[in-house]
Amino acid sequence: MKSDSVGVAVIGAGFGGLGVGIALKRQWGYEDFVIFEKASEIGGTWRDNTYPGCGSDVPIHWYSYSTDLKSDWKRSHGSQAEIQQYLLDVTEKYALRAHCLFDTAVVSANWDSSISLWQIVTENFKTGKKTTTTAKILISAVGPLSEPHISSIAGADDFKGETFHSAQWRHDVVLHGKRVAVIGNGCSATQLVPVISEDPAVNVVNFCRTPMWLVPGDIPAYSELSKWIFTHIPFAMRLHRNKIMFQYDIRFLLFRGKTNFLTRGLAKSQTKYIKQRAPKEYHDKIIPTYPPGCKRLVRDTNYLASLHRPNVSQNWDGIAAVTENGLRLKTGEKVPFDVIIYATGFVTEKFPVTIKNTHSETVNEYWERHGGPAAYLGTTLPTFPNFIIIEGPNTATGHASVVFTEETQINYALQLMKPVLSGDLASFEPTAAASDAYNSHLQRRLDASVWTQCASWYRVGAQGRIFSVFPGPVALFWWWLRAPRWGDYTLTGKGKAAWERRRKVKSVLWWLGVLGLVGAGLHGVGLRRAGMSLPGEGVCAEAVRRVGGFVGSASSSLSLRV
């Protein structure tokens, strides 16, 4: 698609952006959309993160689209290669590649109030050509893990050896026979250290600053019988997915309160687990003092066992500077290295695209004015008409599938978008009062949560406002976003009055139908108790059958809610 005017413009072709395309096609058969992707291929973080050992830390049957379950996943958790192939497969299935503009970055986007359209300036990296595209709806699906956080350690540019971020893995750099420094001990580092250190000729020193709670990270293989059942037994795979969701979502109880008996119990059991598996020399450093859940729990995919290898060690002395030949520690010691790998996470509190609202204020300026990233239901922003953020502020979790929350947002977004794309409305945006009230409610819940008990990337400046996580189970997030509260939105358009009348009539008819069914049911119970048959009983049975068929088809069309 090369059109300079579209109904919907999406930024990013990862899980979120592709999910928008899937929903538009499945639910509406809608084709007037474009996906701007700065890279040369789809996949987002799963395209970029190719470091050894990369994989999902949420069970793969839940870390996938509810519309496109896959019966033949090899193991309980997917590898980077498997997940990227899955995204390539759904891209082909829904013919999404035709909607993607690759090697194309969004330079800026400005809302034009005079025509109620977004003016989007893009640049092709290969040709340098800039293009302006207009769109009724603008959706950001760039995600919070798109921009690697490059450490600002003094002297970083002086290093003469090879250096790179784990999210920008240099496959051309041979580690065999090299002295390798891995800076950071979060999810990425604990996945890659055990793999690169399998070669005894690779000497690895893992530089750690804050201990992490590690939990068992077994990745059992699915048997051929399990795959057969998922493929041939109706609903078996869906039930398996829902079981995983229940098991993981109930873990939110760990995060309720600054500490509770569950977190204390988990701390005790995981302290035992870590001490049983880590070398004794690290026991006084490797056990966190903050409660479990304050930072994301890290799955132990053989990391602790790898610390017993003669070519692997941890260092907790702190890095003072990078030198030409390695690192200078805060103790004054100089340690030589051939390769430095930064496993230092991502920039999460800054919006990566210049998008301006009705007052020519950027998203980052809006967030700065509000003390950090904030949005109404994590999805829309006051003064930014017809703008959707997938995986926006306070939508992530420390325990669940981000794909599920993204699908929840997409289903909500489609309900907002429909009257605009149909021409009934020109624009929608949440009121400042609704957004402020929502975020005040979130912050009150967060202030009483475990996430206040440590510094983390969930917070502004590591110790400020908690802007990343949602303070509840994802089932609650789904419930809150099941349908828009239109009273919380400012709506414009010549057809607004007629649209609102139709919406109110539909609401009244729906409630009358519910009351009618309840009344008929109660009347029928009374007649049966009196020993009388119901007049038109056959007609009622046929009506029930028809209603059942309607509900079945409706549930299929609203599969993003599952």
Side-chain angles (χ1 to χ4, degrees), residues 58-265:
V58 171
I60 194 62
H61 274 278
W62 195 21
Y63 195 86
S64 50
Y65 293 122
S66 64
T67 54
D68 290 88
L69 304 188
K70 176 178 163 67
S71 62
D72 60 347
W73 291 109
K74 295 178 182 178
R75 294 180 174 274
S76 62
H77 294 69
S79 67
Q80 176 271 334
E82 280 186 291
I83 296 171
Q84 176 65 3
Q85 186 59 54
Y86 170 78
L87 291 174
L88 289 168
D89 290 343
V90 296
T91 298
E92 180 178 356
K93 175 181 177 180
Y94 293 102
L96 295 175
R97 195 171 294 277
H99 294 269
C100 295
L101 290 181
F102 293 109
D103 303 303
T104 302
V106 174
V107 177
S108 64
N110 297 272
W111 175 254
D112 189 337
S113 299
S114 65
I115 54 176
S116 296
L117 293 174
W118 283 100
Q119 301 277 3
I120 306 163
V121 177
T122 60
E123 181 178 5
N124 185 290
F125 284 146
K126 290 186 175 180
T127 65
K129 181 181 178 182
K130 289 187 176 181
T131 304
T132 298
T133 301
T134 61
K136 293 181 179 180
I137 305 289
L138 177 61
I139 300 177
S140 169
V142 294
L145 306 182
S146 59
E147 185 177 346
H149 178 266
I150 305 299
S151 179
S152 57
I153 301 173
D157 294 336
D158 298 333
F159 184 60
K160 299 301 183 182
E162 302 288 357
T163 180
F164 51 89
H165 192 280
S166 60
Q168 300 165 328
W169 194 265
R170 291 275 305 278
H171 292 277
D172 61 314
V173 175
V174 177
L175 299 182
H176 181 80
K178 302 291 179 62
R179 297 163 298 182
V180 180
V182 177
I183 301 176
N185 60 318
C187 294
S188 298
T190 54
Q191 287 183 337
L192 70 89
V193 166
V195 180
I196 66 173
S197 64
E198 288 177 349
D199 180 353
V202 179
N203 190 289
V204 180
V205 181
N206 187 196
F207 287 89
C208 310
R209 183 174 59 183
T210 306
M212 307 292 285
W213 283 110
L214 286 100
V215 298
D218 296 336
I219 307 177
Y222 281 111
S223 67
E224 292 303 314
L225 176 60
S226 294
K227 296 175 188 177
W228 185 92
I229 290 172
F230 292 153
T231 303
H232 297 96
I233 305 299
F235 306 113
M237 186 160 47
R238 182 75 62 182
L239 288 172
H240 179 64
R241 174 187 171 93
N242 291 345
K243 182 195 74 171
I244 294 170
M245 174 179 170
F246 175 78
Q247 289 175 334
Y248 270 69
D249 213 17
I250 202 171
R251 294 184 184 186
F252 171 74
L253 294 174
L254 285 172
F255 311 134
R256 295 196 63 181
K258 296 182 179 181
T259 184
N260 58 50
F261 75 97
L262 290 174
T263 55
R264 290 190 292 271

Side-chain angles (χ1 to χ4, degrees), residues 25-26 39 43 55 82 148 176 229 245 274 344 410 478 538:
K25 289 199 165 197
R26 277 179 60 94
E82 280 186 291
H176 181 80
I229 290 172
M245 174 179 170
I274 294 170
T344 48
I410 291 167
W478 171 85

Side-chain angles (χ1 to χ4, degrees), residues 506-556:
K506 288 179 181 178
S507 178
V508 170
L509 291 175
W510 187 87
W511 281 109
L512 287 175
V514 170
L515 293 174
L517 287 173
V518 171
L522 293 174
H523 180 63
V525 170
L527 289 176
R528 287 189 181 281
R529 285 180 175 175
M532 302 171 62
S533 63
L534 277 69
E537 206 165 46
V539 176
C540 290
E542 175 63 16
V544 168
R545 186 189 67 78
R546 289 177 178 271
V547 170
F550 170 77
V551 170
S553 62
S555 64
S556 296

